[in-house]
Amino acid sequence: MEGVLVPILVPLITFSFPVLLCWVYYRNEMHTTSQRTEIVKAVIEKNPNLDVEALLQKMNPKQKLLKEKLLSRLLWGCITGFIGLGLLIGSVFACYAGGWEGDEINFMWITGAISLAIGIAFMITYYVGRKMLAKEMEAETRNMEQK
């Protein structure tokens, strides 16, 4: 039974789960945008003399600061890097201690290596971005303090 489930569940989880997450995220974004549009329409209908640009600026979500964007890259770099490292270590144990062979191990190796590479790329982006954008982040911090 175990030999039948692994080839079915591993691709199902590794491919369909990220697609499902992306679909849910973009559907939520579309729903939020349509709600904002309905609110603006209702406000304009009730008060046609209102300054629409000021209303839209107040309704739009705050843009992330450069520091927040860089920290999210570091976070995702750590998450994907540790997932990749875990898959690589798990595949080593499964291969040598568990006696697994074939496509499942190759799939785990490839998925782990790709995840680890993406995590390393996010971390490099964080460190390079932190050095390159240091002046911009200081200016952004000063602007936020002045407001």
Side-chain angles (χ1 to χ4, degrees):
M1 185 70 174
E2 181 180 306
V4 175
L5 288 179
V6 172
I8 294 171
L9 288 179
V10 170
L12 184 68
I13 291 170
T14 56
F15 292 119
S16 62
F17 189 65
V19 170
L20 178 67
L21 286 177
C22 290
W23 178 77
V24 167
Y25 174 78
Y26 285 112
R27 181 164 179 183
N28 184 34
E29 288 292 319
M30 289 174 40
H31 180 68
T32 304
T33 303
S34 66
Q35 280 184 331
R36 263 193 234 124
T37 305
E38 293 299 321
I39 291 171
V40 169
K41 284 181 184 177
V43 168
I44 290 173
E45 285 175 3
K46 290 181 181 178
N47 190 1
N49 298 330
L50 185 70
D51 185 17
V52 178
E53 287 186 33
L55 176 67
L56 289 175
Q57 286 178 352
K58 289 179 183 178
M59 285 184 62
N60 284 338
K62 284 181 125 180
Q63 295 291 327
K64 284 187 176 181
L65 299 174
L66 287 173
K67 192 173 189 177
E68 291 173 338
K69 290 179 184 177
L70 286 175
L71 287 174
S72 70
R73 288 184 184 157
L74 179 64
L75 172 70
W76 282 107
C78 290
I79 290 171
T80 56
F82 284 126
I83 288 173
L85 194 61
L87 283 171
L88 289 174
I89 291 171
S91 63
V92 167
F93 282 127
C95 185
Y96 293 114
W100 281 17
E101 295 178 5
D103 292 338
E104 294 91 13
I105 292 297
N106 292 337
F107 186 75
M108 282 180 69
W109 278 103
I110 292 169
T111 306
I114 290 171
S115 296
L116 184 62
I118 291 171
I120 290 170
F122 271 123
M123 288 182 208
I124 290 171
T125 304
Y126 166 75
Y127 288 112
V128 170
R130 188 178 69 175
K131 288 182 181 180
M132 290 179 66
L133 300 173
K135 292 180 183 177
E136 287 86 351
M137 286 190 298
E138 288 177 19
E140 205 172 51
T141 305
R142 275 186 261 130
N143 286 342
M144 291 302 291
E145 290 173 357
Q146 290 176 356
K147 289 183 180 180

